[in-house]
Amino acid sequence: MNTPISFNPEQQNVIEHIEGGLLVLAPVGTGKTSVLSERVAKAIEQGISPNRILCLTFTNRAAKEMGDRLAQSLPHVRRQLTIKTFHGLCAWMLRIEAQSIGLPADFVVYDDNDCFDILKPLSRFEKDRDVWDLMGTIADCKSKAHQEQLSLELTLSDLFTSLDDRIRPIALKYQKTLSNRHALDFADLIFYTRSMLHRMPAVAERWANRFNLVQVDEVQDTHMGEYEIVSHLAHKSGNLALIGDLDQTIYAWRGSEPAVVLERFEVEFSPTAYSLSLNYRATQTLLQAASAFADEFEERHTCIEPSPTCAIGEKIMVHTAADETQEAEWIARQVATLAGNYPDFRYNRLAVLTRTHARAQCIASIFAKADIPCVTVEKYQFFMRKEVKDVLAYLRFITNPFDAGAFKRLVTTPSREIGLTTLRSIYTEGQPCGFRVTDLAIPQPFVNDDPLGDVIEAFLHGTIVVFDVETTGTAIGSDIVEIAAVKLVNGQPTDQFHAYISDAADVGDSEQIHGYNNNFLTQNGQPARAVLESFCQFAGESLLVGHNVGFDIKMVIAHAQKVGIQAPIWQWADTWNLANRFLQVESYSLENLASQLNLASTPNHHAMDDVSTTVQLLGHLVPLIQETAGDRVAIYYKYGEKFAPLADEISHWKALSQTIRPAELLIHILNTSGLARLYMEEPDRVQHIKQLVDIFRTQDDTALHPDTALRSILEFTALAKNLDHISEQDNQAVIITAHQSKGLEFDYVFIAGMSDGEFPGFYSIKNGDIEEEKRLFYVALTRAKKRLHISGFEENSWGIQSPSQFLAALPPELVE
């Protein structure tokens, strides 16, 4: 049985404040996570439904911590709560609304390295640094977009008009490549969510009514685009809480603007402000030193008061070495002494914090010589490791058959005697005729030797069933509430199918999208088994077609399995993907395509209306597909045979992904793809792959359909920061920058490189702007729980260095 937590009066004030705007200024160690978790419990106690509560955090680590706490105190409601990071929230919202706004329903999230791999060949920049800078420029265009610049246009051409003539075409090609791959980058997640809420009134209204309580942690890291989203979500209820420590504002360079956010918050929500000051985390010595240094800020926002329960603790050890190497050697000796003093010493409870990556690498090299187990984030980069990226590529391609970047890894790792030159040739030759390199992942032979030949043949001389479903949610395993279809024989409508399902799960918020409530479905529907059996019979062996149809087919298969029916293995074609190949439009939503092409029917989230529109869209696309068939056949004859064995394997893996858990699928692919053999002689890589399997098992939500769980894990790996998992490494000390340490805590902390010109940095001193450097040092100071060491050097390659000016602000009586 869990022991109830006792809260102090400051904390209790926050817990009890449920209604209206709330601003909480809370420095580290003041029990913030416990307070926010208890506040959620109090809100539920007062009648707010848990599925109408949204909690936003800055990192996956923080989200997991809050989720774990709530699972302990409220195990029966944890699954109903929405606890996400900002990027996770936006990905979730966009996935729900994908079909409305023109995004592919199966979009994937690309991490920074995936995006770099796209931009590098497009830019042709020789230096990687220039490519990363270009990525930052493109991201800035999206994250700093004014409301009049918001758009659901996938190429974002208007947004990039400010870029120079050399860079703008690269940015446009980059966005087009993302679109072709059904992918979004991190900046897209925020941009498209803002655009959706700004440009689509019906969608905006749905989300404005979605939550009754919103609370946002780490507000100091929030930029205005993110605030606009949460403000919209909380506007109707008025119940928005922002929590953070403005004294830890260290991401202004990345776009965070807490002063502007809080000014807008004050106007819109008139919040009540509270402060938490009693600190329970560290020793009195460390807390007094941090508080004294914070008094040096031009404007201080919080107060630190040690709890009476805090130990006094040891003084801060400060050391200045002759040079950089001797400083690193001194740190190594101190770590060795600590380890020698405690038989069960845990190196992963110790961190060395630096201002620069170069300093971290210098210390790591000395630690290696001294046999001190350590890891840097740059060295760790778990999800960026080649072997991890290789394995994830197989799983990503299974869930998204348009991911050309993932497909390139499948083809080349392990080697299948198909080189990058071949892939580039297919890409170049295929552009004019709508042939994608990923078409070669389809099991062959193609109909008439054309990857799109099945569409042409079925439309002209066979049977097509165009269909659409409405569901209770976007996760595979959600129930279907409506299904509609039109049968085309030789391109002409001959029959139709339409039914509601009476015994689907509670429609919940999905009613706002399709308009059907539970009573309507009960009165007008039929049991799912009867409907799905009839639909399977109606569809038979026809080619299935729909807009974002991959989503619909998975829904039908999953719901059929749930009611004891084995659905056929259908062949299908997606009009979203076909339109993307042959039409140049701003958005590939069914609504926009209907408008652009002057189609007679207008989609409206009623299944039969959407089907009617899709039938007309298909009729428009088929002639375009026919015109270029010969060119695609030529490409297939030239390259197709080489890819056939891999295509058959992929088909097998896709089938398995619908029935076995993600970790087991990963193991199966390792053993059948050749990856396990490829890395069997490299112990480190084998260990990392084993760790990946463990992550898949830990992250697997077994209550979800295997396909949904797999997609969720893959999205987690894209959004996760390396620090979310670095503590799971073997018993190793962590060497990271002060920026990377934010949100973490360690028993023992060393702050290295404390010399003017490094911490604070040279340009900050030169420009007379060291306030953010002060806050960064404050963040470093507050990572330690038991003991703190600070070191610097008298000389480096730049010459003689003075001790950091920040050291003078530490009370002499607390330093040795």
Side-chain angles (χ1 to χ4, degrees), residues 36 44 80 90 110 112 152 162 179 183 194 223 251 253 255 277 304 347 373 457 528 571 584 586 597 684 687 803:
L36 295 182
I44 295 171
Q80 300 175 57
C90 292
Y110 266 21
D112 287 343
L152 292 169
S162 61
S179 175
R194 290 180 64 206
H223 61 66
Y251 286 119
W253 56 277
S277 58
I304 296 179
Y347 285 99
E457 181 67 19
Q571 298 299 311
Q584 295 296 322
E586 293 182 352
L597 302 175
D684 286 348
Q687 184 59 38

Side-chain angles (χ1 to χ4, degrees), residues 440-494:
L440 293 167
I442 302 169
Q444 300 163 13
F446 299 134
V447 175
N448 298 325
D449 298 326
D450 177 3
L452 304 182
D454 54 351
V455 178
I456 299 172
E457 181 67 19
F459 188 86
L460 297 179
H461 309 295
T463 304
I464 287 176
V465 169
V466 180
F467 85 109
D468 184 64
V469 301
E470 298 297 333
T471 64
T472 59
T474 58
I476 307 301
S478 299
D479 284 357
I480 295 170
V481 298
E482 182 189 21
I483 185 166
V486 168
K487 183 173 290 184
L488 304 178
V489 177
N490 301 334
Q492 298 302 312
T494 61

Side-chain angles (χ1 to χ4, degrees), residues 314-319 787 812 814-816:
E314 299 178 74
K315 291 184 178 181
I316 299 170
M317 184 178 291
V318 176
H319 176 78
R787 188 79 197 274
L814 302 180
V815 175
E816 64 176 6

Side-chain angles (χ1 to χ4, degrees), residues 458-459 462-469 483-499 534-535 537-540 542-547 549 552 575 601 606-619:
F459 188 86
T463 304
I464 287 176
V465 169
V466 180
F467 85 109
D468 184 64
V469 301
I483 185 166
V486 168
K487 183 173 290 184
L488 304 178
V489 177
N490 301 334
Q492 298 302 312
T494 61
D495 198 0
Q496 67 179 38
F497 178 95
H498 181 260
S534 297
F535 175 75
Q537 185 176 3
F538 179 85
S542 306
L543 177 71
L544 296 191
V545 173
H547 206 68
V549 74
D552 294 334
T575 51
S601 298
H606 288 171
M608 187 55 79
D609 292 329
D610 289 358
V611 167
S612 298
T613 307
T614 306
V615 168
Q616 293 179 61
L617 174 60
L618 180 63

Side-chain angles (χ1 to χ4, degrees), residues 628-649:
T628 50
D631 293 333
R632 290 192 300 276
V633 170
I635 295 173
Y636 165 60
Y637 273 132
K638 188 174 180 181
Y639 303 105
E641 188 175 343
K642 295 180 179 179
F643 290 84
L646 177 60
D648 290 336
E649 284 189 293

Side-chain angles (χ1 to χ4, degrees), residues 770-785:
I770 62 170
E771 276 304 296
E772 185 153 330
E773 294 280 295
K774 286 181 183 178
R775 293 192 295 271
L776 183 58
F777 181 59
Y778 172 74
V779 167
L781 281 175
T782 53
R783 298 308 97 196
K785 296 174 65 176

